[in-house]
Amino acid sequence: MNASTRADIRRARRPLGRRGWWAMSSLAAVMLLSFLASLSIGDTVIPPLRVIEALFETDGGIRMVVVDWRLPRALATVFFGAALALSGTVFQTITRNPLGSPDVIGLTTGAYTGALIVMTTGGGSGLAVAIGAVLGGFATAALVALLIAGRGALGYRIVIVGIGVSAVLAAVNAWMLLRARREVAISAAIWDAGSLNGVGWAQALLPIGVVTALMVVLWLSRRGLWLIELGDDIGTSLGGRMGLTKAGLVAIAVGLIGVVTAVIGPIAFIALAAPHLAKLIVKNGPAHLIATALMGATLLSLADIIGQNAVPKHALPVGVVTLVLGGLYLMFLVVRTARRRF
């Protein structure tokens, strides 16, 4: 093992450090504050201390608002935001491309296609739509993998091929919507906007459980991500089975994005931006997964708060808010890159 390889390993295993721990603690605090704000702010504003009291009450109108109406939605934003962010970091690590997130390479669109097939063929129950979305995500991942098979720069090819597959699937989705019954088309179009409206305990509990299980499996598989970051040659020399490791991690990531898309529809920006923002805090190592999950949870929670309160008496779908934020973020990246070059 040469000096360069040893340096890469030391860099990947570098401890978080005092500054990193402070940053992580601050991020966790912001996430908790946004979670509390989502329970407090709404048509009826409830003081934060009263919100905390309501969580431990057994009855009363305030408890109904906080626990029965707002809490499942707030928990969904935390867990689903973390799931989207972790899915993004897996694909960006495997592709070694900052644009290699599920919403860019077509997996989110593919999940929507799977759900739309179920909706338009008459099997539109919640469980059937969820299964269709997950299967659509896996089918799209398999198609992209088939199209990029061969030699060349994986990171660039997967983004280009993914964008092409996403465009084709978007056209297929539009065609299915045009041929669908009016009520089905309206329902699918609303779902396509990405919305947490109507998410209660019945809709949130099972998906949160599945997402939590997948995140635990991803944490247990963090060594595989570390080996991929080092490169296939170094990873193989350290005993990793890189092909099997990548396939397993892709399955976890597609499962995460598929479950979230099945419940609240396609959500842009979180999977793309959260890993980048988390790297400002943690460069490498297992702590990067924690920072990414916290960042994703915070972003989706804040986006939902903005969507519910930005326009009086008109709640915006959270997917619309994240799409706007994503556009602004991409414009910022383009401007910053242009300034660095010139």
Side-chain angles (χ1 to χ4, degrees):
M1 188 178 297
N2 57 38
S4 176
T5 300
R6 287 194 295 270
D8 289 338
I9 295 175
R10 283 196 301 270
R11 203 160 36 244
R13 288 179 171 176
R14 184 171 53 194
L16 187 56
R18 182 179 299 178
R19 183 176 181 181
W21 279 115
W22 274 110
M24 285 271 288
S25 301
S26 300
L27 179 58
V30 172
M31 189 272 289
L32 289 174
L33 288 174
S34 65
F35 176 75
L36 184 60
S38 66
L39 296 177
S40 177
I41 301 173
D43 292 337
T44 302
V45 178
I46 304 173
L49 291 179
R50 187 68 185 92
V51 167
I52 296 174
E53 291 175 356
L55 294 174
F56 300 96
E57 294 176 353
T58 57
D59 56 16
I62 299 298
R63 182 194 181 279
M64 179 182 295
V65 172
V66 173
V67 177
D68 296 339
W69 297 349
R70 295 182 182 176
L71 184 57
R73 179 172 183 149
L75 287 174
T77 60
V78 169
F79 282 90
F80 292 170
L84 292 169
L86 290 173
S87 179
T89 202
V90 168
F91 279 104
Q92 289 173 12
T93 301
I94 291 176
T95 62
R96 294 180 172 272
N97 192 310
L99 294 177
S101 67
D103 41 353
V104 173
I105 62 178
L107 302 188
T108 303
T109 307
Y112 178 48
T113 303
L116 197 55
I117 290 173
V118 175
M119 291 180 180
T120 55
T121 54
S125 66
L127 180 59
V129 171
I131 293 174
V134 174
L135 293 179
F138 277 107
T140 306
L143 177 60
V144 173
L146 179 65
L147 293 175
I148 65 172
R151 298 181 178 180
L154 174 63
Y156 292 102
R157 281 188 297 128
I158 195 171
V159 170
I160 294 172
V161 171
I163 290 173
V165 169
S166 181
V168 173
L169 290 176
V172 172
N173 294 343
W175 176 76
M176 285 193 290
L177 285 175
L178 289 173
R179 292 179 58 88
R181 298 192 311 273
R182 177 178 299 178
E183 60 273 17
V184 173
I186 294 174
S187 175
I190 294 174
W191 185 78
D192 183 36
S195 176
L196 286 154
N197 294 335
V199 173
W201 287 115
Q203 295 78 26
L205 276 180
L206 180 59
I208 286 176
V210 175
V211 162
T212 301
L214 289 173
M215 288 193 290
V216 171
V217 174
L218 179 59
W219 174 257
L220 296 176
S221 307
R222 62 191 182 277
R223 183 175 183 271
L225 276 178
W226 171 64
L227 293 176
I228 293 172
E229 286 179 351
L230 294 175
D232 288 354
D233 293 337
I234 298 176
T236 302
S237 68
L238 293 175
R241 301 173 62 182
M242 304 310 293
L244 185 60
T245 298
K246 290 180 181 179
L249 290 171
V250 166
I252 295 171
V254 173
L256 288 171
I257 198 73
V259 171
V260 175
T261 304
V263 179
I264 61 175
I267 302 294
F269 171 65
I270 305 296
L272 174 66
H276 296 290
L277 297 175
K279 281 187 177 180
L280 297 176
I281 298 173
V282 181
K283 298 297 182 183
N284 295 293
H288 178 239
L289 288 179
I290 300 174
T292 300
L294 289 173
M295 185 65 72
T298 302
L299 290 176
L300 189 59
S301 181
L302 292 175
D304 189 44
I305 293 172
I306 294 171
Q308 291 186 77
N309 299 280
V311 181
K313 299 182 180 180
H314 295 282
L316 297 175
V318 68
V320 174
V321 178
T322 60
L323 193 61
V324 172
L325 294 176
L328 295 174
Y329 180 75
L330 286 176
M331 290 169 59
F332 166 74
L333 287 181
V334 170
V335 171
R336 189 179 67 171
T337 303
R339 286 181 176 176
R340 285 181 177 179
R341 290 184 177 180
F342 299 102

